[in-house]
PDB file of all heavy atoms in Angstrom:
ATOM      1  N   LYS A  13       2.758 -19.322 -54.410  1.00  0.00           N
ATOM      2  CA  LYS A  13       2.478 -18.238 -53.474  1.00  0.00           C
ATOM      3  C   LYS A  13       3.314 -18.536 -52.236  1.00  0.00           C
ATOM      4  O   LYS A  13       2.862 -19.114 -51.261  1.00  0.00           O
ATOM      5  CB  LYS A  13       0.988 -18.167 -53.155  1.00  0.00           C
ATOM      6  CG  LYS A  13       0.114 -18.001 -54.402  1.00  0.00           C
ATOM      7  CD  LYS A  13       0.537 -16.779 -55.240  1.00  0.00           C
ATOM      8  CE  LYS A  13      -0.308 -16.668 -56.498  1.00  0.00           C
ATOM      9  NZ  LYS A  13       0.148 -15.554 -57.381  1.00  0.00           N
ATOM     10  N   LEU A  14       4.579 -18.131 -52.314  1.00  0.00           N
ATOM     11  CA  LEU A  14       5.615 -18.598 -51.409  1.00  0.00           C
ATOM     12  C   LEU A  14       5.683 -17.767 -50.138  1.00  0.00           C
ATOM     13  O   LEU A  14       5.845 -16.547 -50.182  1.00  0.00           O
ATOM     14  CB  LEU A  14       6.966 -18.546 -52.128  1.00  0.00           C
ATOM     15  CG  LEU A  14       8.103 -19.383 -51.560  1.00  0.00           C
ATOM     16  CD1 LEU A  14       7.777 -20.866 -51.633  1.00  0.00           C
ATOM     17  CD2 LEU A  14       9.393 -19.093 -52.335  1.00  0.00           C
ATOM     18  N   ILE A  15       5.555 -18.452 -49.001  1.00  0.00           N
ATOM     19  CA  ILE A  15       5.744 -17.840 -47.686  1.00  0.00           C
ATOM     20  C   ILE A  15       6.918 -18.556 -47.034  1.00  0.00           C
ATOM     21  O   ILE A  15       6.796 -19.713 -46.607  1.00  0.00           O
ATOM     22  CB  ILE A  15       4.495 -17.987 -46.793  1.00  0.00           C
ATOM     23  CG1 ILE A  15       3.240 -17.509 -47.526  1.00  0.00           C
ATOM     24  CG2 ILE A  15       4.693 -17.248 -45.481  1.00  0.00           C
ATOM     25  CD1 ILE A  15       3.218 -16.042 -47.829  1.00  0.00           C
ATOM     26  N   ALA A  16       8.068 -17.915 -46.974  1.00  0.00           N
ATOM     27  CA  ALA A  16       9.253 -18.524 -46.366  1.00  0.00           C
ATOM     28  C   ALA A  16       9.338 -18.096 -44.904  1.00  0.00           C
ATOM     29  O   ALA A  16       9.248 -16.908 -44.584  1.00  0.00           O
ATOM     30  CB  ALA A  16      10.519 -18.100 -47.108  1.00  0.00           C
ATOM     31  N   LEU A  17       9.502 -19.074 -44.019  1.00  0.00           N
ATOM     32  CA  LEU A  17       9.652 -18.819 -42.591  1.00  0.00           C
ATOM     33  C   LEU A  17      11.050 -19.230 -42.175  1.00  0.00           C
ATOM     34  O   LEU A  17      11.573 -20.250 -42.649  1.00  0.00           O
ATOM     35  CB  LEU A  17       8.614 -19.613 -41.799  1.00  0.00           C
ATOM     36  CG  LEU A  17       7.152 -19.393 -42.212  1.00  0.00           C
ATOM     37  CD1 LEU A  17       6.234 -20.325 -41.436  1.00  0.00           C
ATOM     38  CD2 LEU A  17       6.740 -17.937 -42.014  1.00  0.00           C
ATOM     39  N   ALA A  18      11.668 -18.457 -41.291  1.00  0.00           N
ATOM     40  CA  ALA A  18      13.054 -18.720 -40.909  1.00  0.00           C
ATOM     41  C   ALA A  18      13.274 -18.390 -39.443  1.00  0.00           C
ATOM     42  O   ALA A  18      12.541 -17.599 -38.839  1.00  0.00           O
ATOM     43  CB  ALA A  18      14.013 -17.889 -41.777  1.00  0.00           C
ATOM     44  N   GLY A  19      14.309 -18.993 -38.881  1.00  0.00           N
ATOM     45  CA  GLY A  19      14.740 -18.701 -37.519  1.00  0.00           C
ATOM     46  C   GLY A  19      16.187 -18.235 -37.538  1.00  0.00           C
ATOM     47  O   GLY A  19      16.552 -17.329 -38.274  1.00  0.00           O
ATOM     48  N   ASP A  20      17.020 -18.818 -36.691  1.00  0.00           N
ATOM     49  CA  ASP A  20      18.473 -18.743 -36.742  1.00  0.00           C
ATOM     50  C   ASP A  20      19.102 -17.453 -36.250  1.00  0.00           C
ATOM     51  O   ASP A  20      20.069 -17.482 -35.492  1.00  0.00           O
ATOM     52  CB  ASP A  20      18.974 -19.040 -38.162  1.00  0.00           C
ATOM     53  CG  ASP A  20      20.488 -19.014 -38.275  1.00  0.00           C
ATOM     54  OD1 ASP A  20      21.141 -19.844 -37.605  1.00  0.00           O
ATOM     55  OD2 ASP A  20      21.020 -18.159 -39.008  1.00  0.00           O
ATOM     56  N   THR A  21      18.581 -16.285 -36.643  1.00  0.00           N
ATOM     57  CA  THR A  21      19.322 -15.039 -36.406  1.00  0.00           C
ATOM     58  C   THR A  21      19.069 -14.418 -35.034  1.00  0.00           C
ATOM     59  O   THR A  21      19.771 -13.489 -34.650  1.00  0.00           O
ATOM     60  CB  THR A  21      18.974 -13.976 -37.460  1.00  0.00           C
ATOM     61  OG1 THR A  21      17.609 -13.582 -37.286  1.00  0.00           O
ATOM     62  CG2 THR A  21      19.192 -14.505 -38.864  1.00  0.00           C
ATOM     63  N   HIS A  22      18.022 -14.869 -34.336  1.00  0.00           N
ATOM     64  CA  HIS A  22      17.601 -14.339 -33.028  1.00  0.00           C
ATOM     65  C   HIS A  22      16.880 -13.008 -33.148  1.00  0.00           C
ATOM     66  O   HIS A  22      16.479 -12.429 -32.128  1.00  0.00           O
ATOM     67  CB  HIS A  22      18.783 -14.188 -32.054  1.00  0.00           C
ATOM     68  CG  HIS A  22      19.660 -15.389 -31.976  1.00  0.00           C
ATOM     69  ND1 HIS A  22      20.912 -15.368 -31.385  1.00  0.00           N
ATOM     70  CD2 HIS A  22      19.485 -16.669 -32.413  1.00  0.00           C
ATOM     71  CE1 HIS A  22      21.464 -16.562 -31.469  1.00  0.00           C
ATOM     72  NE2 HIS A  22      20.608 -17.364 -32.093  1.00  0.00           N
ATOM     73  N   ASN A  23      16.715 -12.507 -34.353  1.00  0.00           N
ATOM     74  CA  ASN A  23      16.063 -11.233 -34.598  1.00  0.00           C
ATOM     75  C   ASN A  23      14.847 -11.435 -35.499  1.00  0.00           C
ATOM     76  O   ASN A  23      14.726 -12.456 -36.174  1.00  0.00           O
ATOM     77  CB  ASN A  23      17.032 -10.249 -35.256  1.00  0.00           C
ATOM     78  CG  ASN A  23      18.269 -10.012 -34.418  1.00  0.00           C
ATOM     79  OD1 ASN A  23      18.186  -9.512 -33.294  1.00  0.00           O
ATOM     80  ND2 ASN A  23      19.428 -10.390 -34.936  1.00  0.00           N
ATOM     81  N   ALA A  24      13.947 -10.470 -35.528  1.00  0.00           N
ATOM     82  CA  ALA A  24      12.712 -10.563 -36.306  1.00  0.00           C
ATOM     83  C   ALA A  24      12.840  -9.766 -37.599  1.00  0.00           C
ATOM     84  O   ALA A  24      13.281  -8.612 -37.583  1.00  0.00           O
ATOM     85  CB  ALA A  24      11.539 -10.049 -35.483  1.00  0.00           C
ATOM     86  N   TRP A  25      12.416 -10.387 -38.704  1.00  0.00           N
ATOM     87  CA  TRP A  25      12.541  -9.774 -40.027  1.00  0.00           C
ATOM     88  C   TRP A  25      11.262 -10.002 -40.829  1.00  0.00           C
ATOM     89  O   TRP A  25      10.629 -11.055 -40.726  1.00  0.00           O
ATOM     90  CB  TRP A  25      13.700 -10.386 -40.814  1.00  0.00           C
ATOM     91  CG  TRP A  25      14.978 -10.552 -40.055  1.00  0.00           C
ATOM     92  CD1 TRP A  25      15.321 -11.612 -39.261  1.00  0.00           C
ATOM     93  CD2 TRP A  25      16.086  -9.659 -40.019  1.00  0.00           C
ATOM     94  NE1 TRP A  25      16.582 -11.426 -38.733  1.00  0.00           N
ATOM     95  CE2 TRP A  25      17.079 -10.238 -39.185  1.00  0.00           C
ATOM     96  CE3 TRP A  25      16.348  -8.429 -40.619  1.00  0.00           C
ATOM     97  CZ2 TRP A  25      18.299  -9.621 -38.936  1.00  0.00           C
ATOM     98  CZ3 TRP A  25      17.570  -7.812 -40.370  1.00  0.00           C
ATOM     99  CH2 TRP A  25      18.532  -8.408 -39.538  1.00  0.00           C
ATOM    100  N   SER A  26      10.918  -9.045 -41.675  1.00  0.00           N
ATOM    101  CA  SER A  26       9.837  -9.201 -42.647  1.00  0.00           C
ATOM    102  C   SER A  26      10.336  -8.644 -43.970  1.00  0.00           C
ATOM    103  O   SER A  26      10.658  -7.452 -44.063  1.00  0.00           O
ATOM    104  CB  SER A  26       8.576  -8.448 -42.198  1.00  0.00           C
ATOM    105  OG  SER A  26       8.117  -8.926 -40.952  1.00  0.00           O
ATOM    106  N   SER A  27      10.404  -9.510 -44.974  1.00  0.00           N
ATOM    107  CA  SER A  27      11.052  -9.125 -46.229  1.00  0.00           C
ATOM    108  C   SER A  27      10.256  -9.585 -47.439  1.00  0.00           C
ATOM    109  O   SER A  27       9.553 -10.596 -47.399  1.00  0.00           O
ATOM    110  CB  SER A  27      12.456  -9.748 -46.327  1.00  0.00           C
ATOM    111  OG  SER A  27      13.315  -9.225 -45.362  1.00  0.00           O
ATOM    112  N   GLN A  28      10.418  -8.820 -48.507  1.00  0.00           N
ATOM    113  CA  GLN A  28       9.927  -9.242 -49.812  1.00  0.00           C
ATOM    114  C   GLN A  28      10.960 -10.172 -50.425  1.00  0.00           C
ATOM    115  O   GLN A  28      12.165  -9.913 -50.338  1.00  0.00           O
ATOM    116  CB  GLN A  28       9.739  -8.015 -50.709  1.00  0.00           C
ATOM    117  CG  GLN A  28       8.842  -8.254 -51.900  1.00  0.00           C
ATOM    118  CD  GLN A  28       7.371  -8.286 -51.527  1.00  0.00           C
ATOM    119  OE1 GLN A  28       6.838  -7.333 -51.002  1.00  0.00           O
ATOM    120  NE2 GLN A  28       6.712  -9.411 -51.810  1.00  0.00           N
ATOM    121  N   LEU A  29      10.508 -11.258 -51.026  1.00  0.00           N
ATOM    122  CA  LEU A  29      11.406 -12.133 -51.776  1.00  0.00           C
ATOM    123  C   LEU A  29      11.315 -11.758 -53.243  1.00  0.00           C
ATOM    124  O   LEU A  29      10.226 -11.746 -53.825  1.00  0.00           O
ATOM    125  CB  LEU A  29      11.024 -13.602 -51.584  1.00  0.00           C
ATOM    126  CG  LEU A  29      11.207 -14.182 -50.186  1.00  0.00           C
ATOM    127  CD1 LEU A  29      10.699 -15.629 -50.136  1.00  0.00           C
ATOM    128  CD2 LEU A  29      12.663 -14.122 -49.747  1.00  0.00           C
ATOM    129  N   THR A  30      12.462 -11.465 -53.841  1.00  0.00           N
ATOM    130  CA  THR A  30      12.480 -11.053 -55.244  1.00  0.00           C
ATOM    131  C   THR A  30      13.560 -11.815 -56.002  1.00  0.00           C
ATOM    132  O   THR A  30      14.554 -12.261 -55.425  1.00  0.00           O
ATOM    133  CB  THR A  30      12.761  -9.545 -55.373  1.00  0.00           C
ATOM    134  OG1 THR A  30      14.028  -9.245 -54.773  1.00  0.00           O
ATOM    135  CG2 THR A  30      11.668  -8.729 -54.703  1.00  0.00           C
ATOM    136  N   THR A  31      13.345 -11.952 -57.288  1.00  0.00           N
ATOM    137  CA  THR A  31      14.371 -12.513 -58.158  1.00  0.00           C
ATOM    138  C   THR A  31      15.438 -11.456 -58.432  1.00  0.00           C
ATOM    139  O   THR A  31      15.217 -10.268 -58.170  1.00  0.00           O
ATOM    140  CB  THR A  31      13.759 -12.965 -59.493  1.00  0.00           C
ATOM    141  OG1 THR A  31      13.342 -11.798 -60.216  1.00  0.00           O
ATOM    142  CG2 THR A  31      12.567 -13.898 -59.271  1.00  0.00           C
ATOM    143  N   PRO A  32      16.601 -11.851 -58.969  1.00  0.00           N
ATOM    144  CA  PRO A  32      17.619 -10.835 -59.307  1.00  0.00           C
ATOM    145  C   PRO A  32      17.118  -9.803 -60.300  1.00  0.00           C
ATOM    146  O   PRO A  32      17.638  -8.679 -60.350  1.00  0.00           O
ATOM    147  CB  PRO A  32      18.753 -11.673 -59.897  1.00  0.00           C
ATOM    148  CG  PRO A  32      18.585 -13.030 -59.302  1.00  0.00           C
ATOM    149  CD  PRO A  32      17.100 -13.216 -59.171  1.00  0.00           C
ATOM    150  N   GLU A  33      16.105 -10.177 -61.073  1.00  0.00           N
ATOM    151  CA  GLU A  33      15.556  -9.239 -62.051  1.00  0.00           C
ATOM    152  C   GLU A  33      14.538  -8.291 -61.439  1.00  0.00           C
ATOM    153  O   GLU A  33      14.033  -7.394 -62.125  1.00  0.00           O
ATOM    154  CB  GLU A  33      14.890 -10.020 -63.194  1.00  0.00           C
ATOM    155  CG  GLU A  33      15.846 -10.898 -63.991  1.00  0.00           C
ATOM    156  CD  GLU A  33      16.227 -12.184 -63.265  1.00  0.00           C
ATOM    157  OE1 GLU A  33      15.401 -12.669 -62.448  1.00  0.00           O
ATOM    158  OE2 GLU A  33      17.342 -12.694 -63.498  1.00  0.00           O
ATOM    159  N   GLY A  34      14.209  -8.502 -60.158  1.00  0.00           N
ATOM    160  CA  GLY A  34      13.302  -7.600 -59.471  1.00  0.00           C
ATOM    161  C   GLY A  34      11.857  -8.057 -59.408  1.00  0.00           C
ATOM    162  O   GLY A  34      11.003  -7.341 -58.870  1.00  0.00           O
ATOM    163  N   SER A  35      11.552  -9.253 -59.921  1.00  0.00           N
ATOM    164  CA  SER A  35      10.177  -9.755 -59.860  1.00  0.00           C
ATOM    165  C   SER A  35       9.874 -10.274 -58.458  1.00  0.00           C
ATOM    166  O   SER A  35      10.727 -10.872 -57.798  1.00  0.00           O
ATOM    167  CB  SER A  35       9.984 -10.899 -60.862  1.00  0.00           C
ATOM    168  OG  SER A  35      10.195 -10.449 -62.179  1.00  0.00           O
ATOM    169  N   ILE A  36       8.644 -10.075 -58.003  1.00  0.00           N
ATOM    170  CA  ILE A  36       8.230 -10.591 -56.694  1.00  0.00           C
ATOM    171  C   ILE A  36       8.072 -12.097 -56.769  1.00  0.00           C
ATOM    172  O   ILE A  36       7.380 -12.627 -57.651  1.00  0.00           O
ATOM    173  CB  ILE A  36       6.921  -9.927 -56.242  1.00  0.00           C
ATOM    174  CG1 ILE A  36       7.176  -8.449 -55.917  1.00  0.00           C
ATOM    175  CG2 ILE A  36       6.327 -10.643 -55.035  1.00  0.00           C
ATOM    176  CD1 ILE A  36       5.939  -7.685 -55.527  1.00  0.00           C
ATOM    177  N   ALA A  37       8.730 -12.813 -55.844  1.00  0.00           N
ATOM    178  CA  ALA A  37       8.671 -14.274 -55.810  1.00  0.00           C
ATOM    179  C   ALA A  37       8.031 -14.802 -54.536  1.00  0.00           C
ATOM    180  O   ALA A  37       7.839 -16.009 -54.408  1.00  0.00           O
ATOM    181  CB  ALA A  37      10.080 -14.859 -55.960  1.00  0.00           C
ATOM    182  N   GLY A  38       7.706 -13.928 -53.592  1.00  0.00           N
ATOM    183  CA  GLY A  38       7.106 -14.373 -52.339  1.00  0.00           C
ATOM    184  C   GLY A  38       7.434 -13.411 -51.222  1.00  0.00           C
ATOM    185  O   GLY A  38       7.875 -12.269 -51.456  1.00  0.00           O
ATOM    186  N   VAL A  39       7.221 -13.856 -49.994  1.00  0.00           N
ATOM    187  CA  VAL A  39       7.526 -13.057 -48.815  1.00  0.00           C
ATOM    188  C   VAL A  39       8.252 -13.929 -47.799  1.00  0.00           C
ATOM    189  O   VAL A  39       8.191 -15.162 -47.852  1.00  0.00           O
ATOM    190  CB  VAL A  39       6.251 -12.458 -48.177  1.00  0.00           C
ATOM    191  CG1 VAL A  39       5.565 -11.511 -49.145  1.00  0.00           C
ATOM    192  CG2 VAL A  39       5.297 -13.556 -47.737  1.00  0.00           C
ATOM    193  N   GLU A  40       8.925 -13.288 -46.870  1.00  0.00           N
ATOM    194  CA  GLU A  40       9.667 -14.011 -45.842  1.00  0.00           C
ATOM    195  C   GLU A  40       9.435 -13.360 -44.479  1.00  0.00           C
ATOM    196  O   GLU A  40       9.423 -12.131 -44.345  1.00  0.00           O
ATOM    197  CB  GLU A  40      11.157 -13.990 -46.144  1.00  0.00           C
ATOM    198  CG  GLU A  40      12.008 -14.598 -45.031  1.00  0.00           C
ATOM    199  CD  GLU A  40      13.473 -14.713 -45.411  1.00  0.00           C
ATOM    200  OE1 GLU A  40      14.135 -13.663 -45.548  1.00  0.00           O
ATOM    201  OE2 GLU A  40      13.935 -15.846 -45.591  1.00  0.00           O
ATOM    202  N   PHE A  41       9.274 -14.224 -43.469  1.00  0.00           N
ATOM    203  CA  PHE A  41       9.196 -13.771 -42.087  1.00  0.00           C
ATOM    204  C   PHE A  41      10.211 -14.566 -41.272  1.00  0.00           C
ATOM    205  O   PHE A  41      10.178 -15.794 -41.253  1.00  0.00           O
ATOM    206  CB  PHE A  41       7.798 -13.989 -41.514  1.00  0.00           C
ATOM    207  CG  PHE A  41       6.715 -13.287 -42.283  1.00  0.00           C
ATOM    208  CD1 PHE A  41       5.838 -13.993 -43.079  1.00  0.00           C
ATOM    209  CD2 PHE A  41       6.595 -11.901 -42.216  1.00  0.00           C
ATOM    210  CE1 PHE A  41       4.845 -13.352 -43.792  1.00  0.00           C
ATOM    211  CE2 PHE A  41       5.602 -11.247 -42.925  1.00  0.00           C
ATOM    212  CZ  PHE A  41       4.726 -11.966 -43.729  1.00  0.00           C
ATOM    213  N   GLY A  42      11.125 -13.858 -40.630  1.00  0.00           N
ATOM    214  CA  GLY A  42      12.081 -14.478 -39.731  1.00  0.00           C
ATOM    215  C   GLY A  42      11.686 -14.168 -38.301  1.00  0.00           C
ATOM    216  O   GLY A  42      11.432 -13.008 -37.960  1.00  0.00           O
ATOM    217  N   CYS A  43      11.610 -15.187 -37.461  1.00  0.00           N
ATOM    218  CA  CYS A  43      11.132 -14.969 -36.086  1.00  0.00           C
ATOM    219  C   CYS A  43      12.285 -14.603 -35.162  1.00  0.00           C
ATOM    220  O   CYS A  43      13.436 -14.982 -35.373  1.00  0.00           O
ATOM    221  CB  CYS A  43      10.424 -16.220 -35.567  1.00  0.00           C
ATOM    222  SG  CYS A  43      11.459 -17.684 -35.374  1.00  0.00           S
ATOM    223  N   ALA A  44      11.945 -13.864 -34.114  1.00  0.00           N
ATOM    224  CA  ALA A  44      12.900 -13.583 -33.046  1.00  0.00           C
ATOM    225  C   ALA A  44      13.165 -14.876 -32.274  1.00  0.00           C
ATOM    226  O   ALA A  44      12.486 -15.888 -32.457  1.00  0.00           O
ATOM    227  CB  ALA A  44      12.359 -12.501 -32.125  1.00  0.00           C
ATOM    228  N   SER A  45      14.141 -14.850 -31.379  1.00  0.00           N
ATOM    229  CA  SER A  45      14.490 -16.045 -30.625  1.00  0.00           C
ATOM    230  C   SER A  45      13.653 -16.182 -29.373  1.00  0.00           C
ATOM    231  O   SER A  45      13.076 -15.205 -28.869  1.00  0.00           O
ATOM    232  CB  SER A  45      15.970 -16.004 -30.232  1.00  0.00           C
ATOM    233  OG  SER A  45      16.209 -14.964 -29.308  1.00  0.00           O
ATOM    234  N   VAL A  46      13.625 -17.412 -28.845  1.00  0.00           N
ATOM    235  CA  VAL A  46      13.010 -17.661 -27.547  1.00  0.00           C
ATOM    236  C   VAL A  46      13.852 -17.038 -26.443  1.00  0.00           C
ATOM    237  O   VAL A  46      13.341 -16.380 -25.544  1.00  0.00           O
ATOM    238  CB  VAL A  46      12.829 -19.171 -27.312  1.00  0.00           C
ATOM    239  CG1 VAL A  46      12.369 -19.459 -25.882  1.00  0.00           C
ATOM    240  CG2 VAL A  46      11.842 -19.751 -28.317  1.00  0.00           C
ATOM    241  N   SER A  47      15.180 -17.239 -26.515  1.00  0.00           N
ATOM    242  CA  SER A  47      16.024 -16.687 -25.443  1.00  0.00           C
ATOM    243  C   SER A  47      17.423 -16.287 -25.891  1.00  0.00           C
ATOM    244  O   SER A  47      18.094 -15.554 -25.173  1.00  0.00           O
ATOM    245  CB  SER A  47      16.144 -17.698 -24.291  1.00  0.00           C
ATOM    246  OG  SER A  47      16.765 -18.890 -24.730  1.00  0.00           O
ATOM    247  N   SER A  48      17.897 -16.744 -27.018  1.00  0.00           N
ATOM    248  CA  SER A  48      19.251 -16.400 -27.453  1.00  0.00           C
ATOM    249  C   SER A  48      19.359 -14.916 -27.783  1.00  0.00           C
ATOM    250  O   SER A  48      18.437 -14.347 -28.374  1.00  0.00           O
ATOM    251  CB  SER A  48      19.641 -17.226 -28.677  1.00  0.00           C
ATOM    252  OG  SER A  48      19.698 -18.594 -28.357  1.00  0.00           O
ATOM    253  N   PRO A  49      20.471 -14.275 -27.427  1.00  0.00           N
ATOM    254  CA  PRO A  49      20.593 -12.832 -27.650  1.00  0.00           C
ATOM    255  C   PRO A  49      20.684 -12.476 -29.126  1.00  0.00           C
ATOM    256  O   PRO A  49      21.300 -13.186 -29.920  1.00  0.00           O
ATOM    257  CB  PRO A  49      21.889 -12.475 -26.914  1.00  0.00           C
ATOM    258  CG  PRO A  49      22.662 -13.751 -26.829  1.00  0.00           C
ATOM    259  CD  PRO A  49      21.642 -14.834 -26.726  1.00  0.00           C
ATOM    260  N   GLY A  50      20.036 -11.368 -29.484  1.00  0.00           N
ATOM    261  CA  GLY A  50      20.114 -10.854 -30.842  1.00  0.00           C
ATOM    262  C   GLY A  50      21.210  -9.818 -30.963  1.00  0.00           C
ATOM    263  O   GLY A  50      22.187  -9.828 -30.197  1.00  0.00           O
ATOM    264  N   LEU A  51      21.042  -8.884 -31.885  1.00  0.00           N
ATOM    265  CA  LEU A  51      22.084  -7.878 -32.097  1.00  0.00           C
ATOM    266  C   LEU A  51      22.270  -6.965 -30.895  1.00  0.00           C
ATOM    267  O   LEU A  51      23.294  -6.299 -30.777  1.00  0.00           O
ATOM    268  CB  LEU A  51      21.766  -7.048 -33.335  1.00  0.00           C
ATOM    269  CG  LEU A  51      22.401  -7.522 -34.651  1.00  0.00           C
ATOM    270  CD1 LEU A  51      22.044  -6.581 -35.783  1.00  0.00           C
ATOM    271  CD2 LEU A  51      23.906  -7.668 -34.522  1.00  0.00           C
ATOM    272  N   GLU A  52      21.286  -6.945 -29.994  1.00  0.00           N
ATOM    273  CA  GLU A  52      21.487  -6.134 -28.783  1.00  0.00           C
ATOM    274  C   GLU A  52      22.649  -6.660 -27.957  1.00  0.00           C
ATOM    275  O   GLU A  52      23.261  -5.919 -27.181  1.00  0.00           O
ATOM    276  CB  GLU A  52      20.196  -6.089 -27.945  1.00  0.00           C
ATOM    277  CG  GLU A  52      19.966  -7.258 -26.996  1.00  0.00           C
ATOM    278  CD  GLU A  52      19.499  -8.517 -27.699  1.00  0.00           C
ATOM    279  OE1 GLU A  52      19.300  -8.475 -28.925  1.00  0.00           O
ATOM    280  OE2 GLU A  52      19.321  -9.553 -27.030  1.00  0.00           O
ATOM    281  N   GLY A  53      22.981  -7.939 -28.134  1.00  0.00           N
ATOM    282  CA  GLY A  53      24.128  -8.500 -27.433  1.00  0.00           C
ATOM    283  C   GLY A  53      25.447  -7.946 -27.944  1.00  0.00           C
ATOM    284  O   GLY A  53      26.454  -7.976 -27.235  1.00  0.00           O
ATOM    285  N   VAL A  54      25.441  -7.431 -29.163  1.00  0.00           N
ATOM    286  CA  VAL A  54      26.640  -6.841 -29.765  1.00  0.00           C
ATOM    287  C   VAL A  54      26.608  -5.315 -29.657  1.00  0.00           C
ATOM    288  O   VAL A  54      27.606  -4.683 -29.283  1.00  0.00           O
ATOM    289  CB  VAL A  54      26.766  -7.256 -31.251  1.00  0.00           C
ATOM    290  CG1 VAL A  54      27.969  -6.578 -31.902  1.00  0.00           C
ATOM    291  CG2 VAL A  54      26.858  -8.766 -31.371  1.00  0.00           C
ATOM    292  N   LEU A  55      25.468  -4.732 -29.973  1.00  0.00           N
ATOM    293  CA  LEU A  55      25.361  -3.284 -30.065  1.00  0.00           C
ATOM    294  C   LEU A  55      24.833  -2.629 -28.798  1.00  0.00           C
ATOM    295  O   LEU A  55      24.953  -1.406 -28.637  1.00  0.00           O
ATOM    296  CB  LEU A  55      24.422  -2.913 -31.222  1.00  0.00           C
ATOM    297  CG  LEU A  55      24.796  -3.429 -32.609  1.00  0.00           C
ATOM    298  CD1 LEU A  55      23.724  -3.038 -33.615  1.00  0.00           C
ATOM    299  CD2 LEU A  55      26.158  -2.916 -33.041  1.00  0.00           C
ATOM    300  N   GLY A  56      24.240  -3.421 -27.900  1.00  0.00           N
ATOM    301  CA  GLY A  56      23.500  -2.857 -26.783  1.00  0.00           C
ATOM    302  C   GLY A  56      22.049  -2.669 -27.183  1.00  0.00           C
ATOM    303  O   GLY A  56      21.740  -2.447 -28.364  1.00  0.00           O
ATOM    304  N   ALA A  57      21.142  -2.750 -26.225  1.00  0.00           N
ATOM    305  CA  ALA A  57      19.716  -2.725 -26.527  1.00  0.00           C
ATOM    306  C   ALA A  57      19.294  -1.432 -27.216  1.00  0.00           C
ATOM    307  O   ALA A  57      18.532  -1.440 -28.191  1.00  0.00           O
ATOM    308  CB  ALA A  57      18.906  -2.943 -25.254  1.00  0.00           C
ATOM    309  N   GLU A  58      19.784  -0.303 -26.721  1.00  0.00           N
ATOM    310  CA  GLU A  58      19.370   0.982 -27.290  1.00  0.00           C
ATOM    311  C   GLU A  58      19.863   1.139 -28.716  1.00  0.00           C
ATOM    312  O   GLU A  58      19.115   1.551 -29.613  1.00  0.00           O
ATOM    313  CB  GLU A  58      19.889   2.131 -26.420  1.00  0.00           C
ATOM    314  CG  GLU A  58      19.418   3.504 -26.875  1.00  0.00           C
ATOM    315  CD  GLU A  58      19.863   4.615 -25.941  1.00  0.00           C
ATOM    316  OE1 GLU A  58      20.321   4.308 -24.818  1.00  0.00           O
ATOM    317  OE2 GLU A  58      19.732   5.791 -26.332  1.00  0.00           O
TER     318      GLU A  58
END
């Protein structure tokens, strides 16, 4: 019953983890950053 947690990207994500065949293998939550800029630093906040 896999719960994968991740950082790194500076953005927040919630995803289903699936095998290439489409079976559910778990879930993933990626946290936002404490202070490093996310994609708003590239695209602008809006």
Side-chain angles (χ1 to χ4, degrees):
K13 303 305 178 184
L14 199 64
I15 309 294
L17 305 175
D20 181 62
T21 67
H22 312 166
N23 302 298
W25 314 86
S26 300
S27 294
Q28 198 76 59
L29 293 176
T30 59
T31 68
E33 297 77 28
S35 298
I36 291 177
V39 297
E40 174 174 68
F41 301 107
C43 65
S45 67
V46 172
S47 62
S48 296
L51 266 182
E52 84 284 357
V54 177
L55 302 177
E58 184 176 347

